[in-house]
Amino acid sequence: MSDYTQMWRDLGLNLEAHDMLLNVLGNAYKDIYLSQKNRPEGMGYFDFVMSEVHGLRIKELIDEKAQGRKIIGSYCVFVPEEIALAANATLVGLCSGADFAIEEVEKYLPRNTCSLIKSAFGFKLGKVCPYLESADMVVGENTCDGKKKAYESLGSLITNLYVMDLPQMKSEQGKALLKGEYYRFKEAVEKLTGVKITGTSLKNAIKTVNAKRSAIHRLSELRKADPSPISGLDALLANQVFFYDNPARFTESVNKICDELEKRIQDKQGAVPAKTPRILLSGCPMAVPNWKLPWIIETSGAVIVGEESCVGERGTRNLVDESIFNLLHNAGDGVNESSIDDNQIIDKMMDAITDRYFKVDCAIFTPNQERLNHIVEMAQNYKADGVIHYSLQFCQPYIMESIPVDKVLEDKNIPTLRIETDYGMEDAGQLKTRVQAFIEQLG
Amino acid sequence: MNYAGIDIGSRTIEVVVVNDYSDIICSLQADTGFDPIAEALKLFYAVEERGIKYESIMATGYGRNLFEIAYANLDPVSNSKKLNLTANCSAITEIKAHARGVAAFFPNAATILDIGGQDSKAIALNKNGRVKKFEMNDRCAAGTGKFLEIMARTLGFTIDDFGKEALLAQNDLTINSMCTVFAESEVTSLIAKGSDRREIAKGLHISVMKRAVSMINRIRAEQYSDLIVFTGGVAKNECMVKLISEKLCCDVLVPDNPQMIGALGAALIALEQQTCKTSKLYG
Ligand code: SF4
Ligand code: SF4
């Protein structure tokens, strides 16, 4: 590993605290990931990415910046990567998966705030996140009340915070609001980078992000096999790295793993023995390094076969409709940037982008029947023996929704376990008992 | 052949040994103390001293995984005289163990309430005695044996008399806090105000009862029978049994030795797993 100390210092990180974080992260990764058996060889790539998550990848971003690209950080899957890419910017997810600087955080946030929001503040206040510190723009979004109000305070800590408004209902008005916000975001990004989005650049961006999602879809499809060719932890990691990595390289690496998994399936080789109880995990996003619950599940004799989560299928479901590109060809070369045609084409693409994101069934929407349907559908498609619903403590939207989720699954005779937890390890023993008892119940 | 079950709880440890016919041939109990694994091993020494042998051990309770690991790594030199090191040891959760243990005494039980030292749980069973659904208290001690123990101490009762004294209360008194820390200060201020100790005790029992009942109600919908069995140390508390049965308008049955149920269930599962293996071998 190279020495990145100077780079971290230049970014203004608190080196001592940062060392501490890397240490914790490294140990957790070793205990949770590297101790797994029968991992696909292709996971070596992700091991490397994780070992360099604050190193090489940050250096790449800094190099991109030196060449005039801008870095945009985001906290939610509603922020469209396509728009960032089309305007010569790179979008990175800001993970918020660990507690940090808790006492400092509680000067800004009430104690009963979810771990994710607290963590976002902790990483800023502790000066330990190189992604956050290298970002030229940080996008917050009006989703749950917690985040909405938290961004008001976060604005005093992050000067380049941009807040995106989001609808709460899946109505025509809601969709118009989302499209309007995506246009406003487009202008903000264009202003930041000084690069105007063209039909061609937006088309290429859509293709890049669709390819990344398709690779994940392919991976998910392969997890339907019994025995599952990959552990849930490893698949979760791929879904987590989705948010940081260079998109093209990510797509290539995931596809490579998929080739390997296809072979494994042919050879009836699994990450776990056949007939291992299969779990669908549903609920709040799981950001790096929040691996606690998946780890407990998979060390209790079960395998996770799908994540109904924003770091998972809720975040990656559906592609942006590419049939729109035919129009582009019909309109000629499409490179004529100043023509009215190009604006019309861009508008059509903005519609297609809006359509795709508008389908994300986050619990902040009301009503949200689509999510219930998707959970049942996923449980059936991935042949899950049971569903574990995971909510972060104090996350009102997902905790509230867990009750109808439980009901709808019970009606379908799918066993369900509801878990409420946070990033701390104090409840690990109790969680283990619950999860083990649930798995016994399935067996 | 014999089979041992051990339930390592936060307050007590129980060992039960059954024979091939599911008869209990030995049952022992000890306080958990500060070194649960050492206490657990001492119980097995005691079993061996009685000349009782066992084929396998099934561990349950919060210490189950620790015990499983510790047992696999026992030093053969210092332990071979005192212990049968060839027995293989595995673990199951207390939820499965209680379901099995209760079925041995009450084959028609549909619901189990288990309140132990640091956990409380409600378990719904289906007709063949398997776990259908369960609820557990979250990480705090509210509604558990620990809560009652601390409150008994605050009021100057022994834990054994706590329920009996509460039953003698003339009136009900409401305790608002479920949190152990807040409830303790609420109790202290009630004592200072001169409230009757037994009434305070009753109020505390009522608050634990409410929590238990709401847990039962969450899992009991559409259960095929009314029969509720109460296990764990708190099942020995007469006041608690009475309050829960009154609130739910049905009988609440308590096995003779409610603290042994987990260890018994574990021993029976060890026996069944063995039988299952043997029948696979020969069948
Ligand atoms: S759960 Fe909702 S708010 Fe959170 S990342 Fe997903 S879409 Fe955004
Ligand atoms: S986990 Fe829940 S409370 Fe926390 S940010 Fe997401 S939606 Fe909001």
Side-chain angles (χ1 to χ4, degrees):
Chain A
M1 211 199 278
S2 322
D3 186 6
Y4 297 108
T5 318
Q6 190 54 43
M7 175 178 84
W8 292 329
R9 190 173 293 128
D10 293 345
L11 281 171
L13 296 189
N14 175 340
L15 291 180
E16 210 177 307
H18 181 252
D19 273 353
M20 218 164 79
L21 178 73
L22 279 192
N23 214 349
V24 173
L25 187 69
N27 285 334
Y29 195 77
K30 200 165 90 219
D31 294 345
I32 297 177
Y33 273 90
L34 301 180
S35 66
Q36 297 180 93
K37 293 195 185 80
N38 299 323
R39 298 178 79 204
E41 260 170 49
M43 284 310 295
Y45 171 72
F46 291 97
D47 291 341
F48 177 70
V49 169
M50 283 312 290
S51 69
E52 287 287 342
V53 70
H54 280 197
L56 195 56
R57 182 63 187 137
I58 298 298
K59 188 171 177 308
E60 285 179 350
L61 294 181
I62 306 249
D63 291 347
E64 285 182 12
K65 274 164 76 108
Q67 285 167 21
R69 267 183 96 84
K70 298 287 178 189
I71 309 300
I72 300 176
S74 132
Y75 291 109
C76 173
V77 299
F78 268 102
V79 179
E81 185 173 4
E82 291 86 346
I83 292 177
L85 288 180
N88 199 31
T90 297
L91 190 82
V92 290
L94 299 168
C95 53
S96 318
D99 288 329
F100 214 82
I102 299 174
E103 281 126 64
E104 280 299 301
V105 171
E106 284 180 357
K107 290 184 191 154
Y108 290 84
L109 298 170
R111 186 162 290 202
N112 55 353
T113 306
C114 86
S115 293
L116 209 114
I117 298 176
K118 278 190 190 155
S119 169
F121 276 66
F123 279 37
K124 180 67 212 176
L125 292 163
K127 298 202 186 71
V128 289
C129 178
Y131 291 89
L132 188 55
E133 300 310 325
S134 53
D136 300 291
M137 176 190 205
V138 173
V139 188
E141 51 355 278
N142 292 343
T143 43
C144 67
D145 284 353
K147 272 185 166 182
K148 225 159 35 194
K149 298 309 282 185
Y151 291 131
E152 291 173 14
S153 327
L154 195 63
S156 67
L157 301 170
I158 300 179
T159 46
N160 48 12
L161 183 73
Y162 171 98
V163 177
M164 179 182 281
D165 197 19
L166 286 185
Q168 310 250 303
M169 289 181 82
K170 301 281 174 86
S171 57
E172 278 311 308
Q173 292 88 327
K175 195 189 265 189
L177 168 69
L178 189 63
K179 187 178 172 194
E181 279 299 290
Y182 282 175
Y183 261 107
R184 189 169 71 88
F185 179 59
K186 172 174 169 286
E187 274 153 34
V189 179
E190 286 174 336
K191 192 161 154 241
L192 177 76
T193 60
V195 174
K196 199 119 184 69
I197 290 179
T198 66
T200 312
S201 72
L202 193 53
K203 173 184 158 182
N204 290 337
I206 290 174
K207 281 196 158 166
T208 304
V209 186
N210 272 352
K212 181 160 112 161
R213 290 192 189 108
S214 301
I216 286 287
H217 295 171
R218 189 175 159 211
L219 176 66
S220 307
E221 199 54 41
L222 295 170
R223 295 169 75 192
K224 292 180 180 168
D226 182 37
S228 177
I230 184 168
S231 71
L233 276 165
D234 279 338
L236 173 65
L237 188 69
N239 276 288
Q240 289 173 331
V241 170
F242 182 95
F243 292 90
Y244 310 95
D245 203 3
N246 170 289
R249 188 173 57 205
F250 175 83
T251 305
E252 193 193 309
S253 310
V254 173
N255 277 321
K256 222 163 95 201
I257 289 198
C258 290
D259 295 339
E260 185 187 344
L261 297 188
E262 273 167 8
K263 238 197 123 282
R264 278 188 156 209
I265 293 172
Q266 259 176 22
D267 302 344
K268 300 231 174 311
Q269 201 195 341
V272 290
K275 304 265 176 298
T276 298
R278 302 162 68 86
I279 300 288
L280 173 72
L281 194 54
S282 164
C284 288
M286 299 213 168
V288 171
N290 175 20
W291 299 306
K292 177 171 80 170
L293 186 58
W295 174 62
I296 288 177
I297 295 172
E298 295 207 320
T299 50
S300 297
V303 61
I304 300 166
V305 291
E307 298 77 25
E308 191 280 322
S309 158
C310 278
V311 183
E313 195 151 322
R314 190 190 317 125
T316 54
R317 186 182 288 130
N318 301 318
L319 302 180
V320 174
D321 184 5
E322 292 193 10
S323 66
I324 201 80
F325 299 156
N326 298 332
L327 271 175
L328 195 75
H329 297 307
N330 297 344
D333 56 9
V335 216
N336 189 356
E337 282 151 40
S338 57
S339 79
I340 295 181
D341 279 353
D342 206 41
N343 278 338
Q344 277 175 346
I345 286 161
I346 290 174
D347 189 57
K348 291 256 186 274
M349 290 186 198
M350 290 294 281
D351 272 330
I353 291 174
T354 308
D355 283 343
R356 189 256 155 209
Y357 283 90
F358 198 54
K359 289 192 201 122
V360 174
D361 47 5
C362 168
I364 63 123
F365 281 92
T366 181
N368 199 26
Q369 183 62 40
E370 295 90 337
R371 177 160 175 253
L372 303 190
N373 300 346
H374 275 137
I375 297 173
V376 172
E377 212 172 87
M378 281 183 74
Q380 290 166 344
N381 286 346
Y382 292 95
K383 301 187 206 76
D385 299 300
V387 176
I388 296 185
H389 189 280
Y390 153 81
S391 314
L392 278 176
Q393 217 173 11
F394 311 121
C395 166
Q396 214 176 22
Y398 282 91
I399 294 174
M400 286 231 178
E401 210 160 273
S402 73
I403 296 169
V405 166
D406 197 342
K407 237 193 129 323
V408 81
L409 289 167
E410 192 171 337
D411 290 345
K412 300 267 176 212
N413 277 322
I414 302 172
T416 310
L417 176 70
R418 276 191 276 149
I419 298 277
E420 219 177 285
T421 184
D422 58 14
Y423 292 169
M425 284 309 279
E426 306 86 50
D427 62 344
Q430 255 206 347
L431 283 183
K432 188 135 185 125
T433 300
R434 275 186 205 212
V435 167
Q436 284 182 350
F438 183 63
I439 293 167
E440 286 170 351
Q441 185 188 330
L442 304 175
Chain B
M1 254 310 140
N2 304 323
Y3 306 89
I6 180 164
D7 183 354
I8 305 174
S10 65
R11 282 288 274 106
T12 57
I13 304 177
E14 292 84 19
V15 168
V16 168
V17 183
V18 299
N19 64 16
D20 277 322
Y21 307 100
S22 306
D23 304 324
I24 299 175
I25 54 171
C26 172
S27 117
L28 300 171
Q29 186 180 41
D31 280 344
T32 305
F34 300 104
D35 187 352
I37 301 303
E39 294 301 326
L41 289 175
K42 273 193 218 152
L43 284 176
F44 278 108
Y45 300 155
V47 171
E48 300 259 349
E49 273 164 21
R50 286 162 206 221
I52 297 171
K53 299 279 166 223
Y54 40 86
E55 178 93 336
S56 61
I57 302 175
M58 184 62 79
T60 188
Y62 97 99
R64 65 189 181 284
N65 295 122
L66 269 182
F67 183 79
E68 196 185 355
I69 297 169
Y71 194 83
N73 294 306
L74 279 181
D75 173 21
V77 182
S78 61
N79 283 290
S80 64
K81 285 216 184 63
K82 293 184 272 183
L83 275 183
N84 164 20
L85 292 173
T86 57
N88 64 318
C89 176
S90 37
I92 52 166
T93 65
E94 40 285 34
I95 290 150
K96 187 169 176 179
H98 274 91
R100 184 62 193 90
V102 163
F105 288 115
F106 309 99
N108 297 322
T111 308
I112 301 171
L113 172 67
D114 168 47
I115 308 186
Q118 67 176 9
D119 280 332
S120 54
K121 34 188 114 55
I123 308 167
L125 303 177
N126 62 20
K127 275 199 181 125
N128 44 32
R130 295 192 48 140
V131 177
K132 195 166 108 185
K133 215 174 165 78
F134 64 90
E135 283 274 342
M136 248 173 100
N137 66 314
D138 45 36
R139 53 180 104 181
C140 77
T144 67
K146 188 93 207 152
F147 177 83
L148 288 170
E149 197 180 328
I150 292 172
M151 296 308 145
R153 203 187 309 135
T154 312
L155 285 168
F157 293 123
T158 67
I159 187 68
D160 293 329
D161 291 339
F162 199 31
K164 290 188 200 82
E165 295 288 344
L167 278 176
L168 297 174
Q170 303 291 330
N171 297 298
D172 291 357
L173 184 153
T174 313
I175 304 285
N176 295 307
S177 321
M178 266 317 292
C179 163
T180 316
V181 178
F182 290 133
E184 201 172 6
S185 48
E186 198 175 337
V187 166
T188 314
S189 73
L190 284 169
I191 297 174
K193 267 200 283 175
S195 303
D196 183 64
R197 279 199 311 154
R198 288 172 174 159
E199 288 179 11
I200 303 175
K202 176 101 179 270
L204 288 162
H205 279 75
I206 291 175
S207 78
V208 173
M209 173 275 284
K210 282 189 183 152
R211 237 185 141 100
V213 164
S214 86
M215 210 158 57
I216 291 174
N217 284 336
R218 264 179 279 157
I219 54 133
R220 204 162 78 114
E222 294 163 44
Q223 271 308 65
Y224 70 96
S225 104
D226 274 351
L227 195 58
I228 296 181
V229 177
F230 190 0
T231 64
V234 177
K236 293 199 288 194
N237 180 315
E238 300 95 326
C239 181
M240 200 56 76
V241 177
K242 181 162 180 282
L243 287 172
I244 292 171
S245 126
E246 278 170 9
K247 183 76 186 181
L248 292 170
C249 303
C250 66
D251 281 344
V252 171
L253 303 180
V254 180
D256 278 346
N257 201 339
Q259 282 172 289
M260 287 295 179
I261 294 296
L264 172 65
L268 291 173
I269 290 171
L271 160 69
E272 279 148 13
Q273 282 189 354
Q274 189 56 41
T275 327
C276 182
K277 259 188 236 153
T278 332
S279 64
K280 256 190 210 141
L281 223 58
Y282 299 107

